């Protein structure tokens, strides 16, 4: 970890100040801080924000570096899942190379913390996990990567997957994943009992993909709540997407949101324009921890996206009809400090004692920085300069 003094920055768009990072932490924010031999970077009046947090992505899936993928995939979830397995085989997709490409692209955009769901299935076994773990090793000090062992192809419908998830946790995955216990596995009890048992065995948390909408999604949420209560796993179980929290019937969705608050269930969104999503303001009002991510991008699932969490803050704002500057600041919080908090990292704020992750962005205000999302001038991870002028310093493979 390097010490660094950033001068003439505007923390969160406020008055100019210097930011001193020592031993990877923010040691001081104020006027005219003495350098005392520390490396100095002049922010030139740019806005300083905390490191961006991509709390939901799939580093092993991106086709970055390949020619444009001509997508002819069918409309159902299972079509996309089956297609992806076939393409992976055809391309011989290397999860290490792809995760390096995506991670470094994200670093250029100012992301310093990532939660990635990595495919574990009976086709490819644990090879994607090994690849992403290698990326995590190589990018230590550049970007922090948290890994969810993710049964993308189903759990109960593909015998042998549970054993692979168990092994993935032994190898060093951080969380157990899950996927649509009704819609995908058609065995919600089997699916949820299995992932909760694996999590309990390894003393780890859970992050479940729940695309199930409406009443079906609400049913799965209730089953997740039951298990959190029974096993005392409050604060340890997150739900990604949670489209059912965007149910038009507010009586039903508010009850689910209130239970998420009661049982401390963090929610992660990708703010997809095509789906009903949990409302940022309603989750905020209820006190539910809330993060956002870019999800997979430029992969067999879809052509959109680039890894930019500042752009995602804009999409989150558009999806949630946020127009006021104070509302845009809420969207940025979800994509930085709030997202980190949803990942159980409490010291990811631009304040003394916080992690020395700082990004310099362009704009008169935070609102303008989000809306224009121009190339990031500087990206700092724990006091190390890791990106400049929109690109990571380390070249992409
Ligand atoms: Zn996902």
């Amino acid at each position: 970890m390097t010490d660094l003094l950033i001068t003439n920055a505007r923390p969160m768009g406020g008055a100019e100040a210097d930011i001193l990072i020592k031993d990877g932490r923010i040691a001081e924010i104020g006027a005219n801080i003495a350098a005392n031999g520390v490396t100095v970077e002049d922010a030139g009046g740019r806005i300083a924000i905390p490191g961006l947090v991509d709390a939901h992505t799939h580093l092993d899936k991106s086709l970055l570096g390949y020619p444009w993928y001509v997508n002819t995939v069918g409309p159902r979830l299972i079509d996309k899942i089956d297609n992806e397995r076939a393409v992976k085989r055809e391309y011989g997709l290397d999860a290490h190379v792809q995760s390096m490409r995506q991670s470094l692209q994200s670093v250029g955009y100012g992301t310093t913390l990532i939660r990635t769901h990595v495919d574990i299935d009976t086709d490819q076994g644990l090879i994607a996990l090994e690849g992403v773990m290698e990326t995590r090793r190589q990018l230590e000090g550049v970007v922090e990567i948290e890994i969810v062992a993710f049964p993308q192809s189903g759990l109960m419908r593909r015998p042998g997957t549970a054993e692979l998830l168990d092994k993935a946790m032994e190898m060093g995955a951080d969380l157990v994943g899950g996927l649509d216990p009704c819609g995908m596995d058609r065995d919600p009890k089997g699916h949820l009992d299995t992932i909760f048992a694996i999590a309990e065995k390894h003393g780890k948390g859970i992050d479940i993909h729940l695309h199930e909408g409406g009443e079906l999604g609400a049913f799965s949420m209730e089953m997740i709540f039951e298990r959190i209560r029974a096993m005392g796993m409050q604060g340890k179980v997150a739900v990604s997407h949670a489209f059912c929290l965007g149910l038009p019937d507010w009586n039903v969705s508010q009850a689910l949101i209130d239970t998420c608050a009661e049982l401390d269930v963090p929610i992660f969104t990708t703010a997809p324009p095509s789906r009903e999503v949990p409302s940022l303001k309603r989750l905020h009002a209820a006190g539910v921890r809330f993060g956002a991510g870019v999800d997979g991008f430029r992969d067999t699932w879809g052509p959109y996206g680039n890894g930019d969490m500042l752009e995602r803050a804009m999409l989150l704002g558009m999806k949630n009809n946020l127009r006021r500057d104070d509302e845009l600041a809420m969207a940025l919080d979800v994509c930085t400090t709030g997202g980190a908090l949803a990942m159980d990292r409490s010291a990811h704020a631009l304040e003394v004692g916080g992690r020395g992750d700082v990004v310099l962005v362009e704009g008169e205000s935070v609102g303008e920085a989000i809306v224009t999302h121009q190339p990031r001038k500087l990206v700092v991870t724990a006091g190390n300069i890791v990106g400049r002028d929109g690109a990571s310093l380390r070249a992409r493979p």
Side-chain angles (χ1 to χ4, degrees):
M1 280 176 278
T2 318
D3 297 345
L4 181 69
L5 177 64
I6 302 172
T7 57
N8 308 310
R10 288 189 295 128
M12 307 312 287
E16 273 196 18
D18 300 343
I19 303 166
L20 177 65
I21 301 170
K22 290 198 106 169
D23 300 323
R25 297 263 159 200
I26 297 174
E28 195 180 345
I29 300 176
N32 306 314
I33 299 174
N36 292 332
V38 166
T39 306
V40 178
E41 281 285 330
D42 183 0
R46 290 182 182 80
I47 296 171
I49 62 171
L52 288 153
V53 177
D54 183 353
H56 185 111
T57 192
H58 296 264
L59 292 177
D60 56 325
K61 290 176 187 292
S62 176
L63 300 177
L64 280 176
Y66 283 85
W68 181 257
Y69 172 70
V70 178
N71 197 323
T72 57
V73 74
R76 299 169 306 165
L77 183 63
I78 194 72
D79 296 330
K80 297 180 179 75
I81 290 168
D82 289 344
N83 177 58
E84 179 177 54
R85 276 205 315 279
V87 171
K88 273 185 192 164
R89 275 195 299 270
E90 187 193 328
Y91 281 40
L93 207 65
D94 184 325
H96 167 54
V97 173
Q98 295 314 117
S99 56
M100 284 292 283
R101 286 174 177 165
Q102 183 176 329
S103 299
L104 288 171
Q105 180 156 316
S106 295
V107 166
Y109 284 125
T111 295
T112 61
L113 172 61
I114 294 174
R115 175 179 287 186
T116 182
H117 297 250
V118 178
D119 286 7
I120 309 288
D121 66 47
T122 50
D123 253 31
Q124 62 171 22
L126 298 158
I127 194 161
L129 176 65
E130 286 165 7
V132 176
M133 286 181 73
E134 179 57 24
T135 293
R136 172 159 77 178
R137 269 190 291 277
Q138 290 192 19
L139 296 184
E140 206 183 325
V142 175
V143 57
E144 212 180 333
I145 298 175
E146 193 174 87
I147 296 174
V148 185
F150 178 46
Q152 171 75 84
S153 294
L155 183 57
M156 308 311 286
R157 67 204 299 274
R158 291 176 75 93
T161 306
E163 290 74 11
L164 288 168
L165 286 185
D166 183 50
K167 185 87 174 88
M169 300 311 295
E170 242 169 58
M171 285 168 61
D174 302 294
L175 296 123
V176 183
L179 171 65
D180 293 348
C182 297
M184 183 66 188
D185 261 348
R186 294 165 193 273
D187 180 0
K189 184 176 186 312
H191 184 103
L192 293 173
D193 285 348
T194 301
I195 62 173
F196 273 81
I198 295 170
E200 186 181 44
K201 177 181 168 189
H202 294 277
K204 298 286 188 180
I206 293 174
D207 188 339
I208 306 174
H209 275 68
L210 192 65
H211 307 92
E212 295 164 5
E215 301 291 343
L216 188 64
F219 171 73
S220 288
M221 285 295 279
E222 297 285 357
M223 291 192 71
I224 291 166
F225 296 153
E226 277 170 21
R227 282 158 181 76
I228 293 172
R229 282 202 176 92
M231 298 172 75
M233 287 184 70
Q234 287 85 344
K236 297 278 177 207
V237 182
V239 179
S240 284
H241 303 306
F243 296 142
C244 60
L245 297 188
L247 257 171
D249 184 340
W250 276 42
N251 293 319
V252 179
S253 52
Q254 191 60 46
L256 294 172
I257 290 169
D258 290 343
T259 311
C260 287
E262 179 206 330
L263 300 177
D264 190 13
V265 176
I267 301 296
F268 295 103
T269 191
T270 63
S274 55
R275 300 293 299 255
E276 294 297 331
V277 297
S279 152
L280 183 155
K281 283 188 187 172
R282 289 176 70 198
L283 292 190
H284 191 261
V288 177
R289 289 192 280 158
F290 191 35
V294 300
D295 215 354
F297 63 89
R298 292 290 305 277
D299 56 20
T300 64
W301 290 73
Y304 304 112
N306 53 17
D308 184 354
M309 283 305 297
L310 203 53
E311 181 187 73
R312 189 64 46 169
M314 181 186 78
L315 295 172
L316 194 61
M318 293 171 78
K319 185 74 190 171
N320 284 275
N321 196 20
L322 308 180
R323 293 159 189 264
R324 294 159 47 113
D325 282 76
D326 57 347
E327 294 173 335
L328 284 167
M330 287 169 75
L332 183 66
D333 182 68
V334 172
C335 297
T336 54
T337 309
L341 200 59
M343 291 174 60
D344 297 326
R345 283 158 169 80
S346 56
H348 196 91
L350 198 55
E351 60 190 26
V352 172
R355 231 177 98 90
D357 294 7
V358 178
V359 183
L360 294 182
V361 299
E362 309 280 348
E364 281 179 41
S365 62
V366 162
E368 190 185 14
I370 291 171
V371 170
T372 60
H373 48 274
Q374 296 173 63
R376 310 307 109 86
K377 186 65 185 170
L378 192 76
V379 183
V380 175
T381 299
N384 293 305
I385 297 171
V386 296
R388 232 183 241 288
D389 300 317
S392 72
L393 294 190
R394 179 160 171 169
R396 258 174 50 180

